[in-house]
Amino acid sequence: MNIIDADLTTLRKAAKRGRVRSEETQQLIDTIDSLEPGDAKAVVLARNEKPEKVRARVAYAAKIVGKPLQIAIAEDRVLFALKEVKRRRGRPRKNP
């Protein structure tokens, strides 16, 4: 066995479990991966696309990237942005 260093971006783009990703899904993955806090993006729906299906595809891409998203459907678009992480204030609780 020969183990070598690999490029992380190649790993992310590689098909997993024998599944080949569509170009659209790969584009969503790349877009979500490059999102910064405060940025929002939208997928404009085509005539024959259902918003629920596109929302599911966006959620799937977010799961692959490992980033939590806030996703909403508005008219002819599916909007998404990074979910804001609320930080707790105060002291942590003691374990009883």
Side-chain angles (χ1 to χ4, degrees), residues 22-49:
S22 69
E23 182 64 34
E24 296 161 341
T25 303
Q26 189 59 50
Q27 188 177 6
L28 278 172
I29 290 169
D30 294 339
T31 302
I32 293 168
D33 198 28
S34 67
L35 271 179
E36 297 291 329
D39 289 347
K41 300 285 183 180
V43 177
V44 179
L45 302 172
R47 283 186 179 209
N48 57 353
E49 285 184 316

Side-chain angles (χ1 to χ4, degrees), residues 5-96:
D5 290 332
D7 184 29
L8 192 56
T9 56
T10 305
L11 175 64
R12 286 184 179 154
K13 291 183 179 183
K16 296 181 182 172
R17 289 183 268 150
R19 184 179 240 185
V20 178
R21 294 190 183 118
S22 69
E23 182 64 34
E24 296 161 341
T25 303
Q26 189 59 50
Q27 188 177 6
L28 278 172
I29 290 169
D30 294 339
T31 302
I32 293 168
D33 198 28
S34 67
L35 271 179
E36 297 291 329
D39 289 347
K41 300 285 183 180
V43 177
V44 179
L45 302 172
R47 283 186 179 209
N48 57 353
E49 285 184 316
K50 293 185 179 181
E52 295 81 13
K53 295 266 187 183
V54 175
R55 184 188 188 291
R57 186 178 294 147
V58 171
Y60 171 73
K63 183 178 178 183
I64 291 171
V65 175
K67 291 188 176 183
L69 290 184
Q70 179 179 356
I71 306 170
I73 298 172
E75 298 175 15
D76 66 337
R77 299 166 190 249
V78 176
L79 307 156
F80 59 95
L82 290 178
K83 191 176 277 189
E84 293 181 19
V85 179
K86 293 184 180 182
R87 299 188 181 189
R88 295 183 133 190
R89 297 176 77 184
R91 293 179 19 199
R93 294 183 179 182
K94 288 185 176 181
N95 291 334

